[in-house]
């Protein structure tokens, strides 16, 4: 019985010390980085975004009101960034907010949430099919008539750096076209935002697409002359990043 009491007492002491340390660190952080202010929720303000009424909401979907401080209205940066379709990330450890996406990050295209037309476009890791114009890759998307690749971005990236190729016996130029595939795209979903071409002579061509502010995209691959077989490949060296947007260029 005495042992149990001692253990119980020790647990309470450790818990008490933990609470004190937690409060101390919290107080120290607040003392250095936070300053108290007198502010008010301004519930009389309404918002018009691109000509339409807009209500800022938190991550749980609850309506938010701006905070008025010394005559200026303030909104949480996430609500505003999402409304303006600007990528936003928060680094909790370093207390840093990235507006417009984190720099230098690259995400391989096949690591993204993607939907593929499985009739004419197929992902392959077969060594014979991943050997493209003399170079061995780990994975490719092979397209042998036409194909659509739909990728969910959630506005986190600015560029798609796409490596494409035409292999034997393909003898025709192939077009890679970018579309807005978001549910809210409406009639604009049929509009080509950007288009690049790859010919058999290119071997492997790097194409850079501007995907800034897009939730979901579609890459449509097809011959401009509607030839039945195109023998095109999207390579696993393709990726998304937050680098400088450009119409053409290399990695």
């Amino acid at each position: 019985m005495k042992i149990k009491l001692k253990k119980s007492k020790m647990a309470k002491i450790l818990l008490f010390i933990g609470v004190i340390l937690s409060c101390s660190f919290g107080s120290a952080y607040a003392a250095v980085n936070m300053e108290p202010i007198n502010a008010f929720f301004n519930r009389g303000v309404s918002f018009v975004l691109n000509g339409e009424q807009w209500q800022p909401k938190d991550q749980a979907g609850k309506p938010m009101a701006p905070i008025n401080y010394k005559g200026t209205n303030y909104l949480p940066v996430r609500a505003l960034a999402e409304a303006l379709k600007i990528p936003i990330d928060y680094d909790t450890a370093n207390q840093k907010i990235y507006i417009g996406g984190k720099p230098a990050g690259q995400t391989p295209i096949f690591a993204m949430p993607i939907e593929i037309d499985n009739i004419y476009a197929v992902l392959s890791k077969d060594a014979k099919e991943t050997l493209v114009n003399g170079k061995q890759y780990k994975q490719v998307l092979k397209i042998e008539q036409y194909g659509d690749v739909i990728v969910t971005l959630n506005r986190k990236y600015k560029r798609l750096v796409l490596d494409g190729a035409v292999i034997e016996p393909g003898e025709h130029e192939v077009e890679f076209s970018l579309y807005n595939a978001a549910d809210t795209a409406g009639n604009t979903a049929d509009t080509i935002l950007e288009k690049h071409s790859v010919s058999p002579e290119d071997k492997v061509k790097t194409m850079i697409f501007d995907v800034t502010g897009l939730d979901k995209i579609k890459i449509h691959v097809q011959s401009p002359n509607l030839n039945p077989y195109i023998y095109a490949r999207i390579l696993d060296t393709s990726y998304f990043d937050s680098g400088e947007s450009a119409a053409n260029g290399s990695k």
Side-chain angles (χ1 to χ4, degrees):
M1 180 64 71
K2 289 182 180 180
I3 294 174
K4 290 184 178 179
L5 287 173
K6 285 182 179 179
K7 287 185 177 179
S8 176
K9 183 179 290 186
M10 181 59 70
K12 289 179 180 179
I13 291 171
L14 290 173
L15 178 61
F16 179 68
I17 292 172
V19 170
I20 290 175
L21 289 174
S22 176
C23 292
S24 298
F25 287 133
S27 299
Y29 178 86
V32 174
N33 298 288
M34 296 187 180
E35 180 182 349
I37 61 172
N38 291 319
F40 303 89
F41 285 113
N42 189 351
R43 304 191 188 281
V45 171
S46 60
F47 299 88
V48 178
L49 179 64
N50 296 327
E52 297 182 2
Q53 290 290 325
W54 173 66
Q55 173 62 61
K57 296 180 180 179
D58 63 18
Q59 289 181 295
K62 184 179 178 180
M64 304 172 68
I67 291 175
N68 186 280
Y69 175 63
K70 292 186 177 181
T72 301
N73 290 305
Y74 295 87
L75 271 175
V77 65
R78 181 174 295 279
L80 196 56
E82 289 183 351
L84 298 175
K85 298 188 181 300
I86 298 172
I88 184 164
D89 288 281
Y90 179 49
D91 183 346
T92 307
N94 296 305
Q95 294 288 296
K96 186 176 291 187
I97 297 172
Y98 293 92
I99 302 172
K102 292 183 179 180
Q106 294 182 0
T107 304
I109 188 170
F110 299 140
M112 297 287 292
I114 62 176
E115 304 168 45
I116 298 170
D117 180 345
N118 288 313
I119 299 176
Y120 301 116
V122 180
L123 277 173
S124 176
K125 294 183 178 180
D126 186 300
K128 293 180 181 179
E129 296 177 334
T130 56
L131 181 63
V132 176
N133 296 333
K135 183 176 179 179
Q136 190 71 58
Y137 296 85
K138 292 181 180 180
Q139 188 173 24
V140 300
L141 178 66
K142 62 174 187 176
I143 306 146
E144 298 191 345
Q145 281 197 27
Y146 62 87
D148 291 330
V149 184
I150 299 173
V151 189
T152 300
L153 308 182
N154 293 321
R155 304 191 298 276
K156 290 185 177 180
Y157 303 94
K158 291 183 179 179
R159 301 191 310 171
L160 165 58
V161 180
L162 188 72
D163 286 340
V166 177
I167 66 168
E168 293 184 357
E171 28 180 47
H172 305 290
E173 185 179 78
V174 174
E175 292 180 341
F176 293 73
S177 302
L178 171 69
Y179 294 83
N180 182 356
D183 295 335
T184 56
N187 294 333
T188 62
D190 297 325
T191 302
I192 296 176
L193 302 179
E194 200 171 335
K195 180 166 62 178
H196 297 273
S197 298
V198 180
S199 70
E201 293 77 23
D202 289 326
K203 299 300 181 181
V204 173
K205 183 175 180 180
T206 297
M207 302 162 277
I208 300 181
F209 294 87
D210 184 352
V211 297
T212 304
L214 296 177
D215 284 308
K216 186 183 288 187
I217 64 166
K218 178 177 76 175
I219 298 294
H220 179 71
V221 185
Q222 187 169 342
S223 164
N225 299 319
L226 301 181
N227 292 297
Y229 293 101
I230 58 177
Y231 301 99
R233 299 290 186 267
I234 291 177
L235 310 177
D236 59 10
T237 48
S238 306
Y239 61 87
F240 292 90
D241 71 6
S242 296
E244 292 289 330
S245 297
N248 287 288
S250 59
K251 293 178 282 187

